[in-house]
Amino acid sequence: MKKPLGAVVLALALAGVGAAPAVAAPDTTGAVDTSTAVSTVWDTVTSASASLNQALAPQIQAVNFAGTVSLSNCSGSVIRFPGSEADDPALVMSNGHCLETGFPAAGEVVVDQASTRSFGLLNSSGTRVGTLRASKIAYATMTDTDVSIYQLTRTYASIKSTYGIDALTLNDTHPVAGTAITVVSGYWKRTYACNVDGFAYRLKEGEWTWKDSVRYTSACQTIGGTSGSPVIDNATGKVVAVNNTGNEDGARCTDNNPCEVDASGNVTVRQGINYAQETYQIPACFGLDNKLDLSKSGCTLPKP
């Protein structure tokens, strides 16, 4: 997870930007308001056939801040599922460790808990254009994954009508190694571009263990405050994961220093490497009107 931003800001002042992530911190005024442009590099075309294939391929979309949100202590995004409709109550996704009530314990699952939490909605340039409010925490856990999903008091259609902003769609298939991705932080109004390096069979940090976590290539040096940021596939514009942690100090399986554990129990520590939790499995657990249904066929999220 990510350490308090107060500590991050001090670390950055002493050591410069590039610190590994830790639990994000209380919201502060004057947060950095910069963004990293995302550039796409096409492979060199060596034949007429390759040129034709490239011309016919879908164009890569520019990734921006539209639909992302800032929380009091983290980042997040307004999300929809492939089957969500315009009149459904909108949802915001962040990390389980970003809950206003504190970290859920290992094995704890929060369902349908009242909440009035507010979120700052950003437009494509990262400007805060409005405030959205939760009606409840629909689902949250730090077991197997690290996710929180809030239900809002407004529908997708209402948000679109007022702000002209669409929700980000969760991809419902497993992410692929090598995919070009962008981590978009609504808290810092900053982006981080890299690739999916691979997947950790188990990622263990302190008392928590997460399954099949996304490992970034080293270019994504996310920092405190980026917890809960959507991880977006550059080619499709869809969300494939939610950013949550990284190994800061090279320690083994401790808080702020997750380790990878393979199927045979072998432990690997990758100092300075950051991670996210997959989100493709979430849509299967929500039904009509974006209602949580953990008993649905295909739903694998932990249950209370």
Side-chain angles (χ1 to χ4, degrees), residues 130-178:
T131 299
L132 304 176
R133 190 166 298 278
S135 61
K136 67 179 180 180
I137 302 167
Y139 183 88
T141 192
M142 289 179 64
T143 299
D144 294 353
T145 186
D146 183 8
V147 69
S148 59
I149 299 176
Y150 290 83
Q151 181 174 301
L152 302 184
T153 59
R154 302 183 66 162
T155 65
Y156 297 117
S158 172
I159 294 172
K160 174 73 170 179
S161 175
T162 303
Y163 305 108
I165 293 174
D166 291 311
L168 300 176
T169 300
L170 261 60
N171 198 357
D172 58 3
T173 58
H174 193 286
V176 177

Side-chain angles (χ1 to χ4, degrees), residues 208-288:
W208 298 279
T209 299
W210 304 306
K211 296 180 177 180
D212 197 22
S213 303
V214 173
R215 181 197 316 118
Y216 304 145
T217 53
S218 60
C220 276
Q221 288 295 303
T222 48
I223 62 174
T226 62
S227 287
S229 299
V231 180
I232 298 175
D233 182 330
N234 292 354
T236 65
K238 293 182 178 180
V239 177
V240 296
V242 58
N243 179 66
N244 81 309
T245 195
N247 187 292
E248 297 181 350
D249 306 319
R252 178 185 170 110
C253 313
T254 63
D255 289 352
N256 303 320
N257 292 286
C259 62
E260 297 184 22
V261 184
D262 69 16
S264 299
N266 300 308
V267 175
T268 302
V269 173
R270 303 177 191 269
Q271 184 176 4
I273 294 300
N274 301 310
Y275 300 88
Q277 300 308 308
E278 296 167 351
T279 53
Y280 77 96
Q281 72 276 38
I282 295 175
C285 300
F286 285 78
L288 188 66

Side-chain angles (χ1 to χ4, degrees), residues 1-9 11 19-25 224-225 227 248-249 256:
M1 283 82 65
K2 306 191 183 283
K3 64 191 172 190
L5 279 184
V8 174
V9 172
V23 170
S227 287
E248 297 181 350
D249 306 319
N256 303 320

Side-chain angles (χ1 to χ4, degrees), residues 6-303:
V8 174
V9 172
L10 176 59
L12 293 181
L14 294 175
V17 175
V23 170
D27 204 352
T28 58
T29 58
V32 178
D33 191 12
T34 60
S35 62
T36 302
V38 179
S39 60
T40 304
V41 181
W42 292 96
D43 290 336
T44 302
V45 178
T46 57
S47 68
S49 176
S51 297
L52 178 60
N53 288 339
Q54 179 175 329
L56 295 176
Q59 294 300 302
I60 291 179
Q61 302 181 20
V63 176
N64 57 50
F65 295 96
T68 62
V69 300
S70 58
L71 284 67
S72 59
N73 62 346
C74 286
S75 299
S77 56
V78 181
I79 60 158
R80 66 181 302 277
F81 308 125
S84 295
E85 299 183 352
D87 61 353
D88 288 342
L91 304 172
V92 161
M93 180 177 71
S94 188
N95 285 147
H97 78 255
C98 293
L99 287 179
E100 65 269 38
T101 52
F103 291 10
E108 181 181 1
V109 176
V110 178
V111 173
D112 291 335
Q113 179 174 298
S115 174
T116 58
R117 194 170 196 181
S118 61
F119 311 91
L121 178 66
L122 306 185
N123 65 12
S124 60
S125 64
T127 299
R128 179 170 175 154
V129 293
T131 299
L132 304 176
R133 190 166 298 278
S135 61
K136 67 179 180 180
I137 302 167
Y139 183 88
T141 192
M142 289 179 64
T143 299
D144 294 353
T145 186
D146 183 8
V147 69
S148 59
I149 299 176
Y150 290 83
Q151 181 174 301
L152 302 184
T153 59
R154 302 183 66 162
T155 65
Y156 297 117
S158 172
I159 294 172
K160 174 73 170 179
S161 175
T162 303
Y163 305 108
I165 293 174
D166 291 311
L168 300 176
T169 300
L170 261 60
N171 198 357
D172 58 3
T173 58
H174 193 286
V176 177
T179 298
I181 55 173
T182 303
V183 182
V184 186
S185 171
Y187 188 97
W188 287 114
K189 302 176 180 63
R190 179 176 175 182
T191 63
Y192 302 80
C194 60
N195 293 78
V196 175
D197 183 56
F199 306 95
Y201 175 74
R202 296 291 185 267
L203 191 67
K204 180 173 175 56
E205 180 173 343
E207 68 177 275
W208 298 279
T209 299
W210 304 306
K211 296 180 177 180
D212 197 22
S213 303
V214 173
R215 181 197 316 118
Y216 304 145
T217 53
S218 60
C220 276
Q221 288 295 303
T222 48
I223 62 174
T226 62
S227 287
S229 299
V231 180
I232 298 175
D233 182 330
N234 292 354
T236 65
K238 293 182 178 180
V239 177
V240 296
V242 58
N243 179 66
N244 81 309
T245 195
N247 187 292
E248 297 181 350
D249 306 319
R252 178 185 170 110
C253 313
T254 63
D255 289 352
N256 303 320
N257 292 286
C259 62
E260 297 184 22
V261 184
D262 69 16
S264 299
N266 300 308
V267 175
T268 302
V269 173
R270 303 177 191 269
Q271 184 176 4
I273 294 300
N274 301 310
Y275 300 88
Q277 300 308 308
E278 296 167 351
T279 53
Y280 77 96
Q281 72 276 38
I282 295 175
C285 300
F286 285 78
L288 188 66
D289 299 328
N290 276 354
K291 184 174 177 57
L292 178 70
D293 183 357
L294 296 176
S295 66
K296 278 188 65 181
S297 176
C299 177
T300 60
L301 288 177
K303 300 172 177 58

